[in-house]
Amino acid sequence: MTTPDGQLAPALAAFKAAVADLCDQTPTLHHSSLIRADSLYWQLECAVGGANPAAGSGTSKSRPPIWTDALDLKQEIDTGVSEWCSGTNTPAKLRWLANAKYRPQDTALLEKRTNTIATWCTRIEELFNPPHVKHISAPCPACGNTHAYRRDNTGEHVRVPALQIIAEHGCTCIVCHATWAPDHYLHLCRVLGFDLPAGVLE
């Protein structure tokens, strides 16, 4: 929700919270004990070189020597923040921005940056704990593509079905990015020519 121009305080508070979510250590449970986990940004930086951050779960997973998904996301974050200000490193730049002076007319800019940082945090968390994905072997109703090529963790390009379902988000075509929310699944079934689930009325 957009804050009216002039309501700077809540927009700045939200921006500072987003910076903290990305750059600060976070409390987490580990074997019933409360510990402070590394920041999401630091976990991402470690993961680029194949390190195994616990990602807040207390588990460790094997990674390739260079985790290309982590590298791509880190580069995106570093480049994005560099466009906002200069500085020594990304966390330092963001902390400087969080403590900078702003004017009421900067409210919309702060909100935009807050949303960007929140999206980065979500994508980092999903790298370490990927959502369960199901695929549909049918052409996308929007673009007609049945398959796409994606790079896996080793950097190889692999062929996957174009339509994928993540329960929390819906069905998305990874070619044209058309999306059907979960409440449109029945409509999507009809469009794809699939039988409706048993017990569901038209």
Side-chain angles (χ1 to χ4, degrees):
M1 182 175 69
T2 302
T3 305
D5 184 49
Q7 294 189 12
L8 178 62
L12 181 56
F15 178 71
K16 289 183 176 182
V19 170
D21 288 342
L22 181 63
C23 300
D24 291 355
Q25 290 184 323
T26 56
T28 186
L29 281 175
H30 180 64
H31 299 302
S32 301
S33 298
L34 191 64
I35 62 172
R36 298 195 69 80
D38 290 330
S39 71
L40 286 177
Y41 183 84
W42 178 248
Q43 290 180 43
L44 180 66
E45 189 167 55
C46 291
V48 169
N52 301 312
S57 64
T59 61
S60 177
K61 297 181 180 179
S62 176
R63 300 292 184 200
I66 295 295
W67 190 6
T68 54
D69 288 345
L71 176 62
D72 289 346
L73 180 53
K74 182 180 180 298
Q75 289 177 335
E76 178 184 329
I77 295 171
D78 291 342
T79 300
V81 174
S82 292
E83 293 174 354
W84 298 348
C85 75
S86 60
T88 55
N89 59 66
T90 292
K93 294 174 189 176
L94 287 171
R95 291 190 179 103
W96 182 88
L97 286 169
N99 291 291
K101 299 296 184 182
Y102 294 95
R103 305 162 301 168
Q105 54 265 44
D106 295 324
T107 297
L109 176 65
L110 283 170
E111 289 177 334
K112 182 178 180 180
R113 290 178 176 177
T114 297
N115 291 336
T116 299
I117 295 171
T119 299
W120 287 336
C121 290
T122 298
R123 289 172 60 191
I124 294 172
E125 290 169 344
E126 289 180 348
L127 274 181
F128 298 128
N129 300 290
H132 182 64
V133 178
K134 293 184 178 181
H135 294 281
I136 300 176
S137 297
C140 169
C143 69
N145 284 290
T146 57
H147 292 87
Y149 288 88
R150 303 203 74 177
R151 191 167 61 180
D152 64 14
N153 287 342
T154 65
E156 295 293 324
H157 282 82
V158 295
R159 189 184 186 200
V160 297
L163 293 177
Q164 67 176 21
I165 292 179
I166 299 176
E168 297 83 0
H169 304 295
C171 179
T172 301
C173 174
I174 58 177
V175 177
C176 70
H177 306 294
T179 300
W180 295 265
D183 58 352
H184 287 89
Y185 282 164
L186 295 182
H187 170 71
L188 184 61
C189 279
R190 287 190 287 265
V191 171
L192 295 175
F194 295 159
D195 292 333
L196 295 179
V200 175
L201 298 177
E202 297 247 16

